[in-house]
Amino acid sequence: MGSSCLNGTRHRQVFALALPMVLSNITVPLLGLVDTLVIGHLEQAYYLGGVAVGATVISLIFWLLGFLRMSTTGLSAQAVGAGNGELLLQVLVRALVLAWGLALLILALQHPLIELAFWLAGGSAEVQHYGREYVSVRIWSAPAALTNLVLLGWLLGNQNAQAPMWLLILGNSANILLDLWFVLDLGWQVKGAAAASVLADYLTMGLGAWLVWRTLRVRGLRPAAGFWRCCLNRVAFGRLLGLNRDIFIRALCLQLTFAFMTFQGARLGDGVVAANAVLMNFLMFISYGLDGFAYAVEAMVGKAVGERSRERFRQACALNLFWGALVAVVFTLVFALAGECLVGLITSIPEVRAQAELYLPWLVLMPLAACWCFILDGIFIGTTRGREMRDMMLVSTLVVFFPVWWLARELGNHGLWLAMFCFMLARGLTLAWAWWRLDRRQGFTGEAV
């Protein structure tokens, strides 16, 4: 990987893709913090617990389908690297067809899905009640939310980070403003927070459709003769579904760990689940900040695969790993020095503040353990190596997360956070091993090793 990958041009290329995504990604957990902020200043902890459980249920449903963005980013980046405009358009259409079909399925099955989710969630009667209120409204954003995953992934795969940045910033800013209006001004409480998210998702979809249309015009992409027959070809869809199946299993494991944190916290009491909601929002800040560099490496290595350039692939990996680690150190310092102040800004409920401050040290350590898995995930997504991602996530979840929690369950909430810490560390270590093995045996780009 050598010194050639550390020149100024390559660093600028990383930041041209990563910085807009970091800035826009920060608005995502900021939205969660605003939800927590406006609900956290209501008079009872169960309002905050209800939103935490309800938002977790929605995340479990929607973000299990995060493969819509991931596979679209990798496949479109490879099409760009290969200079294949027809394939680039096919990637978009296939992903949209799949997203709309899944959205309709979610709406059709919403009642059994909600019943199952809250049966698993547990928690007090009040937390369950307000969590159901949240989900019953938020579920109607499914068509827009899944479409937005595809549009975001396709735009990023086109090596365009500016368009996704505006997509996320506009959508999340609208969500925050509507949140404040509906909850604080109109007094809609939990339903107001959910309604704000629904409206913002549809606004984002409108902007995303316009940005994609503009990109198609700039690139001069139009369906050629026989496009629809090729696009809807059963074999091509089968390959897409195979890739998405592996990424889905990976996402299922990831969401199960986060959902388990919330649901098990709910069983430890309203104060614990509310405190965990505060800390999980901080963890989302870490995740989305590091994901900016993960998105950058997805686009860069995907293009390198399309170009069949092993040198560019290794440069992209080295640069993004370096900057991801540096950002993780910054996060650690912020939470170490200002963590208690940040908790106080989010909630004024004494019980919740005390509980959150008790478990805050886990957030101080988390960025250093987690930064590697985010960047390595991006490498495997950009190279569309879904099987390896799936296998390493299964190991991290079934061999590390749940066994560690079981052995440490007597520690209560500390045991939960210990399991999460070990899970993040294991993801990075297992993916690094898989990366080393693949790069040594056959490479990622198809160029001779």
Side-chain angles (χ1 to χ4, degrees):
M1 286 177 270
S3 60
S4 63
C5 69
L6 298 177
N7 61 66
T9 300
R10 290 299 178 194
H11 283 287
R12 286 192 294 272
Q13 184 183 3
V14 170
F15 275 90
L17 287 168
L19 190 57
M21 298 311 301
V22 170
L23 294 175
S24 55
N25 277 349
I26 286 173
T27 67
V28 179
L30 181 61
L31 168 62
L33 282 174
V34 171
D35 271 347
T36 307
L37 180 67
V38 296
I39 300 297
H41 284 84
L42 298 177
E43 63 274 13
Q44 298 294 336
Y46 53 68
Y47 289 117
L48 183 55
V51 169
V53 172
T56 300
V57 169
I58 287 295
S59 294
L60 189 59
I61 295 172
F62 287 176
W63 287 99
L64 279 177
L65 308 179
F67 58 75
L68 291 167
R69 186 206 65 78
M70 297 178 190
S71 62
T72 303
T73 299
L75 292 171
S76 58
Q78 290 177 24
V80 168
N84 192 333
E86 185 76 3
L87 178 59
L88 183 61
L89 191 54
Q90 289 177 13
V91 168
L92 174 64
V93 173
R94 288 188 192 118
L96 286 173
V97 169
L98 184 57
W100 294 336
L102 290 169
L104 291 175
L105 188 63
I106 288 172
L107 293 179
L109 299 177
Q110 62 178 286
H111 295 299
L113 285 173
I114 292 172
E115 289 303 315
L116 174 62
F118 280 93
W119 176 75
L120 292 171
S124 68
E126 291 84 0
V127 166
Q128 285 255 333
H129 172 74
Y130 288 106
R132 287 172 184 271
E133 273 197 355
Y134 183 93
V135 173
S136 66
V137 175
R138 183 74 191 281
I139 196 76
W140 289 98
S141 67
L146 299 190
T147 298
N148 291 338
L149 291 175
V150 171
L151 301 182
L152 178 66
W154 190 82
L155 289 166
L156 186 60
N158 275 265
Q159 314 296 298
N160 180 357
Q162 297 290 326
M165 176 185 73
W166 292 116
L167 196 64
L168 288 171
I169 287 177
L170 175 76
N172 290 314
S173 298
N175 201 337
I176 289 169
L177 293 173
L178 290 169
D179 211 5
L180 294 169
W181 182 28
F182 290 169
V183 178
L184 298 183
D185 289 351
L186 300 182
W188 291 358
Q189 296 182 337
V190 172
K191 284 188 176 180
S197 296
V198 173
L199 290 176
D201 278 339
Y202 282 97
L203 286 171
T204 303
M205 184 178 70
L207 175 62
W210 179 78
L211 289 169
V212 166
W213 173 79
R214 190 180 69 170
T215 302
L216 292 174
R217 284 193 62 187
V218 170
R219 285 187 173 272
L221 296 179
R222 294 177 181 173
F227 170 81
W228 294 103
R229 183 176 67 254
C230 293
C231 191
L232 302 177
N233 177 272
R234 185 172 63 181
V235 175
F237 249 106
R239 287 196 294 265
L240 176 64
L241 291 174
L243 172 61
N244 285 335
R245 175 202 61 215
D246 292 334
I247 302 177
F248 170 81
I249 294 171
R250 172 229 177 239
L252 177 62
C253 292
L254 182 60
Q255 290 301 323
L256 279 176
T257 60
F258 284 109
F260 187 82
M261 287 286 294
T262 299
F263 296 165
Q264 191 63 27
R267 287 179 165 85
L268 296 173
D270 289 355
V272 171
V273 70
N276 280 355
V278 174
L279 297 179
M280 290 299 282
N281 273 302
F282 289 157
L283 183 56
M284 290 302 102
F285 258 117
I286 297 168
S287 300
Y288 284 109
L290 292 170
D291 263 346
F293 292 96
Y295 289 175
V297 81
E298 286 175 31
M300 292 172 71
V301 301
K303 189 169 184 286
V305 168
E307 294 171 340
R308 299 173 68 85
S309 173
R310 192 165 190 244
E311 181 184 359
R312 288 183 180 274
F313 170 80
R314 288 192 163 189
Q315 288 174 350
C317 295
L319 285 167
N320 284 282
L321 284 166
F322 168 75
W323 284 108
L326 193 60
V327 170
V329 171
V330 173
F331 273 123
T332 290
L333 292 174
V334 168
F335 287 117
L337 299 174
E340 292 186 5
C341 295
L342 293 172
V343 170
L345 288 174
I346 294 173
T347 179
S348 58
I349 302 172
E351 177 191 5
V352 177
R353 289 185 62 175
Q355 291 282 349
E357 290 171 6
L358 179 62
Y359 304 111
L360 186 61
W362 292 110
L363 266 295
V364 175
L365 298 173
M366 198 67 71
L368 300 177
C371 64
W372 314 107
C373 67
F374 288 102
I375 309 303
L376 288 165
D377 266 345
I379 293 168
F380 281 88
I381 290 166
T383 56
T384 58
R385 293 278 184 171
R387 183 170 61 87
E388 289 81 6
M389 288 179 64
R390 176 200 67 195
D391 292 346
M392 299 308 101
M393 182 63 81
L394 284 169
V395 169
S396 300
T397 304
L398 301 179
V399 180
V400 178
F401 178 81
F402 285 109
V404 169
W405 168 77
W406 177 258
L407 292 172
R409 65 191 185 279
E410 297 299 327
L411 299 176
N413 204 40
H414 279 298
L416 274 175
W417 282 102
L418 174 62
M420 179 58 69
F421 178 85
C422 293
F423 168 71
M424 290 292 186
L425 191 60
R427 285 176 61 198
L429 291 173
T430 55
L431 284 170
W433 175 77
W435 176 38
W436 172 80
R437 186 183 61 172
L438 277 169
D439 194 52
R440 185 183 181 192
R441 290 182 178 180
Q442 64 194 72
F444 287 83
T445 63
E447 187 184 53
V449 178

